[in-house]
Amino acid sequence: METSPGRPPRPTPASRIDQPVTGRARPHSPEPADHGPEPALEAEPDGAADPPERHTRRRGILLGLGVVAVASAAALVAGLLSWSPEPVDPTRPLSAAEAERLAAMRVTAYRDVRSGVRVSVGTGAARTELVGWVDWARPLVYLDVGGPGAGAERGLIQAAPGTLVARPDPAAGPTSAPPPLVPPTDRWRLRELPAGHDVASALDLLLSLSGQRPDPTVVEARWLGRETAAGTPVDVLRAPLPAGPAAAPPRQFRLWLDRDARLHRLAGRLSDDTPVSVELQRSDRPTLRPVDALGGRPGLPRALTDAEANRLARLPARLRAAGGAALTGTAPLGPTANLRAAGWLSWAASAAYLAVGEVDTPGRRTLLRHQKGRVARVEVAAAGGAVDPPARPPLPPPAGISWPPAAPATDDLERLIDAAVRAAGAPVAARSAVRLRGDRLAGHTVDVLELRTGRAQLRYWIDRAGLLRRLELRTRHGVWAQLDLAPGRVPALPTANRPPATGATPR
């Protein structure tokens, strides 16, 4: 073994073991020898040689760092799973072409004239369903009302702007179905739904979907997307529409509008926040027939032919020759005055005698006596029961009745009776009449002529023999009151001067 000069050789392990241990000579010191602390052992790489306290502390630190790392990783994973991008508004303003189609929507409906409709108002047990058709050109709505929330409205309705007539049917099933194309002729009555009523608001909404001029551009309208309605590609738009009384502000609706500016569907809320949806079946568009109270079947007005003008001129003489007529009447004068009448009139005596009842108050009757333009009324008790059709008045009148003094005709029924009695007076000039249409009534072919005499708007239904079969008067509510006439011999009628002859036989 090589050694460095001046330095003793390092003993080998064996020599250290074999060699006796002897202390190295140190200088004498009065103080006891102090060997000092043991030299620190060099730490092993894995810390095995650390003291127990330091080893425990080291393990705690490492364990804490591991827990923090695991928690951070878990939070990161949870954050990644729950993260979603900021919502992006998929809507946008309308393009120029879309704005033009929205502006033309109501004009397109007016030109298409009619459409099938299915309306749902409300939700759940309060839902009302309306199924039928709308005629925007007339305008007219004809619907069957059903659904779990229909209540007293269940049945058929026809409506024009500001006017509603209904044929209630409380026994109808809860499911709505399209109404019959030819509406029933009986039991219709004038109704007045309060402003803001769900059905009234839905009807106003339907009628507001047409117009004769394009609408102005709606700045706040938005494009929402594209869908398909009844196999037709449509754009879904959001735009305001009237959805309640005229004074109510428009509400936002979703509109499904195709490339030809035809509306297929809409959904939104009425002015009272009731949800409403409308589906338009554009291929279902039959010709609608209004009920008699709304004018009956439409026609094509024209001037009278010579034959028609001749029958109109000879009408008064033919009525005087007939003597009189049995009559029945329907007069929708108001929501609580849907009157029915039956009795007789005499053109020879310029008199009429009728019993009048209101359909919703079957226990009351009014006897009405008309003579030469003046009317007397008296109310009498009546047995309960329906007044549609009503019973004719008793002849002679009940004993003990005290008739009040006669007064000029006031309401529309009295004006209608007065017009029927006066039809046997002076002839009507042909130039003041137009022919609306031909029709059938009680087995007779008739011409329906419309006349304007003073402030009254009348319709004469004249058969080919020149006799009057029906007379109609347009009332203050915009509906038509009717008297159906069966010309022939009638009994002597009570007048202010004499009672009828006892035993007179009514026809």
Side-chain angles (χ1 to χ4, degrees):
M1 173 180 297
E2 295 182 1
T3 60
S4 300
R7 230 175 147 180
R10 196 172 187 177
T12 64
S15 64
R16 268 189 293 185
I17 294 173
D18 297 337
Q19 182 176 353
V21 179
T22 59
R24 182 177 295 179
R26 290 187 175 88
H28 175 77
S29 172
E31 296 292 330
D34 184 7
H35 299 287
E38 291 291 329
L41 296 176
E42 185 178 355
E44 294 295 329
D46 61 355
D50 286 345
E53 298 83 359
R54 183 176 297 177
H55 183 66
T56 302
R57 187 167 56 252
R58 186 185 186 94
R59 291 185 59 187
I61 293 172
L62 292 176
L63 182 60
L65 291 174
V67 171
V68 171
V70 171
S72 298
L76 178 61
V77 171
L80 290 174
L81 292 177
S82 63
W83 177 84
S84 61
E86 289 294 326
V88 177
D89 184 3
T91 71
R92 59 166 172 78
L94 303 188
S95 67
E98 291 159 354
E100 288 179 3
R101 282 190 277 127
L102 179 60
M105 179 184 74
R106 299 196 319 130
V107 174
T108 302
Y110 182 80
R111 291 174 178 172
D112 284 350
V113 181
R114 293 176 295 274
S115 176
V117 297
R118 181 176 290 273
V119 183
S120 179
V121 183
T123 59
R127 188 181 75 258
T128 301
E129 297 174 352
L130 313 171
V131 180
W133 301 276
V134 56
D135 184 328
W136 289 302
R138 187 170 177 89
L140 177 72
V141 178
Y142 179 28
L143 302 168
D144 177 84
V145 182
E153 310 300 332
R154 195 180 308 279
L156 302 179
I157 61 172
Q158 286 199 356
T163 305
L164 172 69
V165 293
R167 187 177 187 269
D169 188 3
T175 303
S176 295
L181 278 176
V182 178
T185 59
D186 62 339
R187 295 166 46 200
W188 291 93
R189 61 189 70 181
L190 185 64
R191 295 291 304 276
E192 185 174 346
L193 298 176
H197 186 281
D198 290 346
V199 173
S201 296
L203 296 176
D204 291 341
L205 177 63
L206 284 177
L207 292 173
S208 72
L209 297 178
S210 78
Q212 300 186 42
R213 294 183 179 86
D215 293 318
T217 301
V218 182
V219 177
E220 61 268 32
R222 304 283 292 181
W223 181 91
L224 304 181
R226 289 191 176 92
E227 293 184 13
T228 300
T232 302
V234 294
D235 289 295
V236 184
L237 312 179
R238 185 175 66 231
L241 290 177
R251 302 296 296 265
Q252 292 290 332
F253 280 82
R254 285 177 176 252
L255 310 175
W256 282 256
L257 195 66
D258 70 16
R259 297 301 176 89
D260 296 322
R262 287 185 174 86
L263 182 66
H264 289 260
R265 187 186 306 163
L266 65 86
R269 291 182 177 272
L270 301 173
S271 58
D272 64 352
D273 216 34
T274 301
V276 61
S277 64
V278 177
E279 292 187 13
L280 298 173
Q281 299 159 341
R282 306 307 292 251
S283 61
D284 182 17
R285 44 195 307 271
T287 299
L288 302 186
R289 177 169 180 167
V291 296
D292 291 337
L294 295 180
R297 184 167 55 84
L300 296 174
R302 61 165 175 78
L304 305 187
T305 64
D306 290 343
E308 293 160 355
N310 182 59
R311 284 197 291 271
L312 179 61
R314 298 178 62 186
L315 177 65
R318 290 187 178 276
L319 296 181
R320 290 192 297 268
L327 60 84
T328 57
T330 300
L333 305 189
T336 58
N338 288 280
L339 306 182
R340 304 293 186 264
W344 304 270
L345 68 80
S346 170
W347 285 301
S350 297
Y353 177 48
L354 300 90
V356 181
E358 208 281 327
V359 293
D360 291 323
T361 54
R364 293 189 303 173
R365 293 289 188 279
T366 297
L367 300 183
L368 185 152
R369 190 182 64 198
H370 179 284
Q371 185 178 17
K372 296 183 179 179
R374 300 182 70 82
V375 180
R377 289 172 174 261
V378 61
E379 189 170 311
V380 297
V387 297
D388 192 6
R392 289 175 179 162
L395 273 177
I401 287 182
S402 177
W403 291 92
T410 55
D411 67 27
D412 288 323
L413 176 60
E414 294 173 355
R415 293 170 58 224
L416 178 61
I417 296 168
D418 187 60
V421 172
R422 291 177 183 273
V428 176
R431 63 177 178 275
S432 65
V434 296
R435 182 185 184 274
L436 293 181
R437 64 178 187 271
D439 216 315
R440 295 278 297 176
L441 181 65
H444 298 276
T445 299
V446 298
D447 295 302
V448 182
L449 312 182
E450 186 166 304
L451 303 84
R452 288 189 177 273
T453 58
R455 293 180 298 173
Q457 187 175 356
L458 299 170
R459 288 180 178 176
Y460 282 10
W461 295 46
I462 303 175
D463 68 15
R464 297 304 165 86
L467 290 174
L468 188 63
R469 295 290 173 176
R470 173 178 284 182
L471 182 66
E472 295 182 304
L473 170 74
R474 189 173 179 86
T475 71
R476 295 178 178 91
H477 279 83
V479 295
W480 292 87
Q482 302 91 29
L483 283 180
D484 287 344
L485 308 169
R489 186 171 63 90
V490 298
L493 304 181
T495 66
N497 298 325
R498 63 177 180 83
T502 302
T505 303
R507 184 182 184 276

